[in-house]
């Protein structure tokens, strides 16, 4: 009797849900980022094997002594899949330019700028995600956003005089306490599975950065109680809300653009390379990215946007608002003659205007064309390259990303320039951890380049004169 009942129930179920209907229902759920990665990793492992088999013994070129002394400038020595920087064309994210990702990546309802969630998907997979996949990723990050109580207390105990980047690095380092990768490694996880807990740590890291950044901002600059993450909102909207700007849709749009264009800039810059280097020791994503932040905090890297705004404010104070082109030109010359650089101009690789600068300029032309500081930035853009070329001070006299971002943030009321590099740090996490996940998936080895002393270099060439 019981067996007959089971058969009857099974037949009823089959009638109600035929095989084609069941498959259609199952496929309605968007594929998650981790599921897609699990499909891509075996393919990429075979791709790398094929590249090494065919090209492994080929050389990129000769290393010169100047490169050894010059900070390895231009030395091809790293694998970095998320983005490639061309000296003339600028950055491409998985082969796509900034204008292309602005067009192709999903946007928030009513928004015009790409959602950073979509850019992260692109960095990891090389694919443009669907709106549903991006929405699911936003919800996943919101669900992971809470930071441990002891980390909250750690941030709260920092003196307001401690630079926000120092606090940021401190808090990210402390997240290592709950690292899934560190625990899995201690438990003896197989090397081929390293990418799994690295992915989970990376997702947790990105998710928690807005809460950390918001807490630091409100502690240091006294802007009141930290609001809660809204699980129905996207990443940039929640970050803006935590900073106190969530009601300003234009600022939210700026954050979407800002995070996207600051996320990755190939692997040779200090923050990206540091994260990759530390990660190669199998340090977890929290420790690796904390090291990235310490590099980003330097005035020759992420702190440069703060330096630009200081210079702009000093210029305004010296020559006044609505200064003539001749006054601006003379001020630029006075900067150079004083033994200083023009901040925001020049780049280690680029030999043209940074496309990230252009994207910010276009945003400003759309949203704040009459802003006095934006007008000054544009005026400098028309004058500085000619002065720099005449002075012979720069191989690239064109503006980089830092020349513009401070003016935009200031327009919307985020005037605390000491905090600007923290926003850069939130953004740069996307590129650093995306590469770290792939490094673990492909079994990248410990980095260990060879170094030479000055005496060893002299001896090396002593008999080759």
């Amino acid at each position: 009797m019981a067996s007959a009942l089971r058969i009857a129930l099974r037949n009823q179920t089959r009638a109600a849900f035929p095989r084609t209907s069941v498959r259609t229902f199952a496929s309605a759920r968007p594929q998650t980022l981790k599921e897609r990665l699990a499909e891509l990793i075996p393919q990429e492992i075979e791709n790398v094997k094929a590249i090494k088999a065919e090209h492994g013994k080929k050389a990129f070129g000769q290393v010169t002594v100047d490169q050894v002394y010059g900070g390895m400038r231009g030395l091809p020595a790293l694998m970095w899949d998320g983005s490639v920087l061309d000296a003339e064309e600028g950055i491409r994210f998985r082969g796509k330019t900034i204008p292309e990702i602005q067009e192709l990546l999903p946007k928030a309802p009513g928004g015009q700028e790409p959602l950073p969630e979509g850019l992260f998907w692109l960095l990891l997979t090389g694919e443009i995600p669907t709106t549903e996949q991006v929405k699911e990723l936003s919800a996943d990050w919101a669900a992971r956003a809470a930071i441990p109580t002891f980390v909250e207390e750690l941030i709260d105990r920092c003196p307001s005089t401690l630079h926000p980047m120092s606090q940021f690095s401190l808090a990210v380092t402390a997240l290592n306490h709950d690292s899934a990768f560190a625990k899995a490694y201690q438990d003896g996880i197989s090397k081929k599975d390293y990418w799994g807990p690295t992915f989970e740590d990376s997702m947790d890291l990105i998710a928690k950065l807005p809460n950390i950044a918001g807490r630091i901002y409100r502690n240091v600059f006294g802007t009141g109680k930290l609001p809660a993450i809204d699980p129905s909102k996207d990443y940039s909207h929640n970050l803006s809300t935590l900073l106190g700007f969530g009601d300003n849709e234009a600022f939210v749009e700026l954050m979407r653009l800002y995070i996207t264009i600051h996320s990755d800039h190939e692997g040779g810059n200090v923050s990206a390379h540091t994260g990759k280097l530390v990660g190669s020791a199998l340090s977890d994503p929290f420790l690796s990215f904390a090291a990235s932040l310490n590099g980003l905090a330097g005035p020759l890297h992420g702190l440069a946007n703060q330096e630009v705004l200081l210079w702009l404010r000093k210029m305004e104070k010296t020559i006044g608002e609505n200064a003539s082109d001749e006054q601006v030109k003379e001020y630029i010359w006075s900067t150079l003659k004083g033994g200083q650089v023009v901040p925001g101009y020049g780049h280690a690789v680029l030999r043209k205007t940074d496309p990230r600068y252009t994207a910010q300029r276009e945003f400003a032309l759309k949203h704040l064309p009459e802003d006095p500081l934006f007008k000054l930035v544009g005026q400098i853009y028309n004058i500085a390259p000619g002065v720099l070329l005449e002075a012979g001070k720069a191989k690239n006299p064109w503006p980089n990303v830092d020349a513009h971002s401070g003016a935009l943030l200031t327009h919307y009321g985020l005037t605390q320039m000491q905090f600007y590099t923290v926003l850069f740090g939130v953004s740069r996490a996307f590129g650093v951890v995306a590469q770290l996940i792939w490094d673990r998936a492909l079994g990248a080895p410990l980095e260990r380049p060879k170094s030479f002393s000055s005496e060893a270099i002299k001896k090396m060439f002593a008999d080759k004169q």
Side-chain angles (χ1 to χ4, degrees), residues 155-302:
I155 298 170
D156 291 346
R157 290 179 65 86
C158 288
S160 61
T161 52
L162 183 63
H163 196 284
M165 279 299 283
S166 300
Q167 298 188 42
F168 198 27
S169 173
L170 185 67
V172 169
T173 300
L175 292 177
N176 153 268
H177 180 271
D178 297 322
S179 168
F181 177 81
K183 183 179 185 305
Y185 186 82
Q186 289 178 345
D187 292 342
I189 187 174
S190 170
K191 288 183 178 180
K192 66 181 178 62
D193 296 323
Y194 280 176
W195 77 270
T198 300
F199 176 89
E200 295 301 327
D201 278 353
S202 298
M203 292 284 281
D204 282 344
L205 171 63
I206 290 176
K208 296 177 191 307
L209 293 181
N211 257 332
I212 292 173
R215 197 172 197 92
I216 293 170
Y217 182 77
R218 289 174 181 265
N219 282 354
V220 174
F221 304 111
T223 55
K225 186 179 178 182
L226 196 71
I229 291 283
D230 185 342
S232 69
K233 300 295 186 182
D234 64 86
Y235 189 82
S236 303
H237 197 290
N238 273 316
L239 174 61
S240 300
T241 299
L242 290 164
L243 298 176
F245 298 91
D247 292 335
N248 188 328
E249 186 56 35
F251 182 88
V252 176
E253 279 282 272
L254 174 60
M255 282 296 96
R256 290 168 182 151
L257 174 65
Y258 183 101
I259 294 172
T260 297
I261 66 175
H262 283 80
S263 63
D264 203 34
H265 214 231
E266 73 170 27
N269 64 77
V270 171
S271 56
H273 185 197
T274 304
K276 183 177 175 69
L277 172 63
V278 175
S280 78
L282 296 186
S283 299
D284 63 64
F286 305 110
L287 297 179
S288 301
F289 185 60
S292 294
L293 290 174
N294 291 334
L296 190 66
L300 295 184
H301 194 13

Side-chain angles (χ1 to χ4, degrees), residues 12 19 86 93 107 141 168 234 250 260 265-266 281-282 297 325 332 361 404 409 441 452:
Q12 289 176 7
R19 286 181 180 271
D86 181 83
F93 300 99
K107 300 169 181 62
W141 283 347
F168 198 27
D234 64 86
T260 297
H265 214 231
E266 73 170 27
L282 296 186
D325 287 355
I332 295 171
R361 176 172 172 79
H404 215 306
L409 295 168
F452 292 95

Side-chain angles (χ1 to χ4, degrees), residues 117-132:
E117 291 91 326
L119 191 280
F120 186 63
W121 189 293
L122 175 66
L123 290 176
L124 272 177
T125 68
E127 301 167 349
I128 300 294
T130 65
T131 299
E132 290 75 19

Side-chain angles (χ1 to χ4, degrees), residues 234-454:
D234 64 86
Y235 189 82
S236 303
H237 197 290
N238 273 316
L239 174 61
S240 300
T241 299
L242 290 164
L243 298 176
F245 298 91
D247 292 335
N248 188 328
E249 186 56 35
F251 182 88
V252 176
E253 279 282 272
L254 174 60
M255 282 296 96
R256 290 168 182 151
L257 174 65
Y258 183 101
I259 294 172
T260 297
I261 66 175
H262 283 80
S263 63
D264 203 34
H265 214 231
E266 73 170 27
N269 64 77
V270 171
S271 56
H273 185 197
T274 304
K276 183 177 175 69
L277 172 63
V278 175
S280 78
L282 296 186
S283 299
D284 63 64
F286 305 110
L287 297 179
S288 301
F289 185 60
S292 294
L293 290 174
N294 291 334
L296 190 66
L300 295 184
H301 194 13
L303 201 66
N305 52 15
Q306 179 178 326
E307 298 295 313
V308 170
L309 194 57
L310 286 169
W311 183 72
L312 289 173
R313 289 302 192 199
K314 187 176 179 181
M315 180 188 293
E316 278 187 325
K317 186 177 180 180
T318 303
I319 64 178
E321 288 189 5
N322 302 314
S324 67
D325 287 355
E326 189 59 33
Q327 287 176 301
V328 171
K329 183 176 182 179
E330 285 301 314
Y331 189 85
I332 295 171
W333 272 113
S334 70
T335 298
L336 296 174
K337 290 174 181 177
Q340 299 173 304
V341 299
V342 177
Y345 279 74
H347 191 275
V349 177
L350 280 170
R351 295 297 175 260
K352 61 169 282 184
T353 298
D354 191 335
R356 298 173 299 173
Y357 174 94
T358 303
Q360 292 178 97
R361 176 172 172 79
E362 290 173 352
F363 181 94
L365 287 169
K366 187 186 303 181
H367 294 280
L368 49 131
E370 300 303 318
D371 180 84
L373 195 57
F374 165 61
K375 286 184 173 181
L376 178 59
V377 169
Q379 195 175 10
I380 295 167
Y381 178 44
N382 293 327
I383 297 169
V387 173
L388 290 168
L389 284 172
E390 185 180 345
K393 292 291 185 181
K395 293 180 180 178
N396 169 27
W398 305 107
N400 58 48
V401 67
D402 299 309
H404 215 306
S405 55
L408 295 177
L409 295 168
T410 297
H411 173 81
Y412 291 108
L414 208 167
T415 58
Q416 299 88 353
M417 63 184 71
Q418 278 193 317
F419 192 77
Y420 291 172
T421 314
V422 173
L423 293 178
F424 199 155
V426 171
S427 311
R428 187 46 54 91
F430 286 54
V432 171
V433 302
Q435 186 60 44
L436 191 57
I437 292 166
W438 273 110
D439 283 352
R440 296 290 74 79
L442 299 176
L446 176 73
E447 281 191 24
R448 180 59 173 88
K450 173 64 178 170
S451 63
F452 292 95
S453 67
S454 294

